[in-house]
Structures are given as C-alpha cells and as structure tokens.
C-alpha cells in the first residue's frame, strides 16, 4: 500500500529538482522547524546514496530531545532508485531507528509536472511496518512539502 501527498509549488520543475537533488537545496527545506539538515554525501544516480544529518538547533527542540533521552543529531541514508531529471525521483530510506524492529527500507517516489503557476508535486510513500509509524512518516513528508512550498514562495 502507498500513501499519496500532492502540492503545487510556485517554481518550475527544474527549480524544484535543483532544491531536491543538491546539498544546498536539501539543506534549505528538508528539516522540520527547529532542526538543521547537513548533507554529507550525495551521489545522484540509481543506486547512489544520500547521507545527511538532522540536528536539533532551536532551544525548545534541543530541550525536548534531551528530556526524552534522544540524540540531538541523527544520521539518515537514502538510496536512489530512479533519476529522471526533472520529472521523476525515487529513493529507498533506510529505516534503522525503530525500536524492536530490524532495519528495513521504505520507498518514496516523486513526480514533478509543470502546471500553471508552478509545479505539481506528487509524492507516493510506501507504508511502514504499522499505521502509527506510517502516520509519522506521512506527517514528516507533508511537513517537507510545506517547507518546500514556503521556500519557493519566498524567493
């Protein structure tokens, strides 16, 4: 099963592609409020790896993470499955942070289509191992798309 999220963002597919596939672009919108994303590796080709660290930087986020015994920074990895510039991007996220679950991979596929006023972004998200974690993933991906839309609207 998959979940689907859609947005229209006020930028060309080429601009959205650049923001989604470069360290500079990713660092500008991928983190939730109060966090920073630092890309340490990006090999944009099928089978290539994206590695990044997300770090809590806002005082309230730092306090929350510390209060719950969570690290302030976590490293994440994704492996590209599809690259078709500037219309399709696919990647498998390594899910290695769920307590009591063996690591596994989860697929996300993105389609970028030009429309009047910008680009229609369709994100298809493979469900995780249960509904609670799938809901968390969808909320995170929704936040990412909201951040992207705000970024391009402000430019």
């Amino acid at each position: 099963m998959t979940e689907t999220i859609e947005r229209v963002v006020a930028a060309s597919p080429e601009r959205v592609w650049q923001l989604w596939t470069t360290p500079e672009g990713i660092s500008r919108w991928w983190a939730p409020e109060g966090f920073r994303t630092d890309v340490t590796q990006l090999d944009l080709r099928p089978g290539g790896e994206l590695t990044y660290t997300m770090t809590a930087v806002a005082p309230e986020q730092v306090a929350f993470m510390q209060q719950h015994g969570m690290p302030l920074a976590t490293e994440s990895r994704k492996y590209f499955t599809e690259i078709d510039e500037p219309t399709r991007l696919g990647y498998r996220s390594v899910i290695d942070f769920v307590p009591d679950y063996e690591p596994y991979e989860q697929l996300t596929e993105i389609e970028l289509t030009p429309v009047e006023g910008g680009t229609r972004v369709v994100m298809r998200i493979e469900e995780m191992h249960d509904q609670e974690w799938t809901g968390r993933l969808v909320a995170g991906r929704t936040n990412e798309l909201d951040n992207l839309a705000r970024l391009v609207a402000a430019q």
Side-chain angles (χ1 to χ4, degrees), residues 90-126:
Y91 52 81
R92 298 194 74 76
S93 300
V94 177
I95 309 299
D96 59 0
F97 50 82
V98 179
D100 303 322
Y101 270 87
E102 288 295 315
Y104 63 96
E105 294 183 357
Q106 174 275 326
L107 179 65
T108 299
E109 296 176 313
I110 297 106
E111 289 180 17
L112 306 176
T113 307
V115 295
E116 186 173 331
T119 299
R120 179 172 163 253
V121 179
V122 177
M123 183 183 281
R124 289 184 181 80
I125 305 162
E126 183 179 66

Side-chain angles (χ1 to χ4, degrees), residues 2 16 24 31 44-45 48 55 61 75 78-79 82 87 95 126 143 150:
T2 58
V16 174
E24 303 79 25
L44 189 63
R45 62 178 176 82
T55 305
Q61 299 299 350
E75 184 178 80
K78 300 182 184 314
Y79 296 97
E82 182 176 9
T87 59
I95 309 299
E126 183 179 66
N143 179 259
R150 278 193 296 275

